[in-house]
């Protein structure tokens, strides 16, 4: 087998973020080297603590967690998503605290150091608001240019929004940052609502990894509140784990069918704020174009997630 690809997850845990982190830990194709946290589903201090606890649950409290931006770049966006993820972000579940503290380095510094020193290209999975990535581009452009692949969970090409009629949550939470990243010429895959909404994790799928052991059972417990929200918000009989699908594409490139498109973000202060304007009229050859995920095999993606999460208990048992 080839060497695992170094991976960074930039995240705002968040229920589906927690699943995404656990999926990465369960996947031998990647080596999770760093987690950076950002404001988003809940406040930064909480997303940082949640990331530490999730890594501890997965038996990997050795992975550094560097806290990033506490707010959006330009226009304050104090609205969080506690009604979706629970006020503490993990669906009302209190995971045991991590024995380690957060990394003293700010997220952009930790990211820049890793990118600058890695002998091989690093994949970055950005599954929260894009504030940290925009700051990295601005403050450490040479390090940012070394990103091998950037997989962004955010936006929507043709499905409208989930937090407003126009906007998907991660882009809406910092549209200026999203615009900077999605027009930056980084090698980016945009995993938006077009492919995440059809990918539904059913109750029987959750039951499979819940039965695998204590780690699987905790992952399933975290999902219960999300399950209730998904039924109401999306009318689905299961959970839409947006961030876990983005991680699947980060772990197994090509899982999703992508088309190269020009993408800009509506940064006006009106009703369209945070909308990703994906130009689907043409396939773009522009350097700044983004690979937009437009096709998914939902059953295969769900099976991948469930089988990987079902194997996590055995992995954690072996390392402890
Ligand atoms: C995105 O918004 C957040 O609430 C989720 O964690 C995911 O990253 C989905 O729109
Ligand atoms: Ca997220």
């Amino acid at each position: 087998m080839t060497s695992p690809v170094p991976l960074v997850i930039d995240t705002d845990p968040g229920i589906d973020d927690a699943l995404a982190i656990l999926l990465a830990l369960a996947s031998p194709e990647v080596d999770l080297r760093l987690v950076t946290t950002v404001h988003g589903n809940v406040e930064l201090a909480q997303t940082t603590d949640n990331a530490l606890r999730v890594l501890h649950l997965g038996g990997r409290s050795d992975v550094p967690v560097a806290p990033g931006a506490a707010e959006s770049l330009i226009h304050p966006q104090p609205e969080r998503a506690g009604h979706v993820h629970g006020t503490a972000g993990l669906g009302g579940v209190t995971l045991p605290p991590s024995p380690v503290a957060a990394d003293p380095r700010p997220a952009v510094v930790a990211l820049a150091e890793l990118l600058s020193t890695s002998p091989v290209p690093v994949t970055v999975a950005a599954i929260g608001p894009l504030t940290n990535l925009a700051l990295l581009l601005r403050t450490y452009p040479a390090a940012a240019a070394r990103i091998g692949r950037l997989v962004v969970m955010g936006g929507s090409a043709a499905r409208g929004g989930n937090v407003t009629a126009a906007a998907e949550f991660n882009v809406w939470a910092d549209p200026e940052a999203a615009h900077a990243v999605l027009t930056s010429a980084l090698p980016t895959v945009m995993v938006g609502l077009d492919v995440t909404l059809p990918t539904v994790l059913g109750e029987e799928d959750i039951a499979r990894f819940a039965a695998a052991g204590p780690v699987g059972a905790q992952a399933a417990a975290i999902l219960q509140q999300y399950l209730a929200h998904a039924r109401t918000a999306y009318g689905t009989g299961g959970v839409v784990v947006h961030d876990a699908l983005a991680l699947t594409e980060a772990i197994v490139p090509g899982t999703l069918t992508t088309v190269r498109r020009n993408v800009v973000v509506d940064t006006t202060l009106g009703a369209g704020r945070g909308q990703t304007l994906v130009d689907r009229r043409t396939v773009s050859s522009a350097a700044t174009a983004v690979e937009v995920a437009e096709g998914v095999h939902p059953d295969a993606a769900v099976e991948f997630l469930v089988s990987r999460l079902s194997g996590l208990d055995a992995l954690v048992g072996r390392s402890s």
Side-chain angles (χ1 to χ4, degrees):
M1 186 179 151
T2 51
S3 304
V5 174
L7 174 70
V8 177
I9 302 181
D10 184 56
T11 178
D12 62 334
I15 293 172
D16 56 333
D17 302 78
L19 267 272
I21 292 169
L22 293 175
L23 174 60
L25 297 183
S27 296
E29 298 87 346
V30 290
D31 174 15
L32 183 59
R33 299 283 303 279
L34 172 68
V35 170
T36 52
T37 55
V38 65
H39 67 94
N41 288 319
V42 288
E43 301 295 333
L44 178 70
Q46 190 74 64
T47 62
T48 304
D49 187 47
N50 289 347
L52 287 163
R53 287 174 190 247
V54 170
L55 287 167
H56 180 45
L57 172 69
R60 289 297 308 278
S61 39
D62 58 299
V63 176
V65 175
E71 54 190 41
S72 47
L73 282 185
I74 295 170
H75 294 284
Q77 179 49 271
E79 204 173 314
R80 303 290 178 222
H83 60 294
V84 181
H85 296 266
T87 46
L90 293 180
V93 172
T94 306
L95 295 176
S98 170
V100 301
D103 194 297
R105 296 170 299 171
V108 286
V109 174
L111 255 168
E113 284 181 9
L114 177 62
L115 290 165
S116 308
T117 55
S118 176
V120 293
V122 175
T123 294
V124 177
I127 56 176
L130 288 158
T131 320
N132 290 340
L133 268 296
L135 288 169
L136 179 80
L137 279 163
R138 188 55 75 90
T139 51
Y140 295 98
R146 291 175 59 95
I147 292 176
R149 264 181 106 225
L150 173 63
V151 180
V152 169
M153 191 285 127
S156 169
R159 295 284 297 240
N162 59 354
V163 65
T164 70
E168 180 282 326
F169 179 83
N170 288 339
V171 176
W172 171 82
D174 196 344
E176 285 78 11
H179 181 78
V181 172
L182 294 174
T183 58
S184 66
L186 289 179
T188 303
V189 181
M190 182 184 117
V191 179
L193 299 180
D194 311 274
V195 288
T196 63
L197 289 182
T199 308
V200 177
L201 191 61
E203 285 178 73
E204 59 295 347
D205 302 314
I206 298 170
R208 275 176 59 199
F209 57 80
V215 182
Q218 286 283 31
I222 290 170
L223 282 167
Q224 291 313 306
Q225 176 167 333
Y226 210 33
L227 194 52
H229 171 76
R231 281 199 200 100
T232 331
Y234 304 122
T236 57
V239 203
V240 179
V241 279
H242 309 271
D243 294 341
L245 184 64
L247 255 294
T248 302
E249 174 62 30
I251 293 162
V252 185
T255 293
L256 304 171
T257 310
T258 64
V259 184
R260 220 172 151 74
R261 307 285 195 196
N262 292 325
V263 180
V264 295
V265 176
D266 185 335
T267 54
T268 63
L269 298 176
R273 182 166 173 77
Q275 181 177 16
T276 42
L277 296 158
V278 177
D279 189 348
R280 292 187 301 141
R281 295 171 301 172
T282 50
V283 177
S284 176
S285 53
T288 52
V290 164
E291 295 287 338
V292 175
E294 296 187 358
V296 60
H297 297 291
D299 292 348
V302 167
E303 181 55 34
F304 180 81
L305 175 62
V306 171
S307 61
R308 288 293 166 96
L309 290 180
S310 300
L312 193 53
D313 270 282
L315 277 179
V316 173
R318 228 174 288 149
S319 66
S320 55

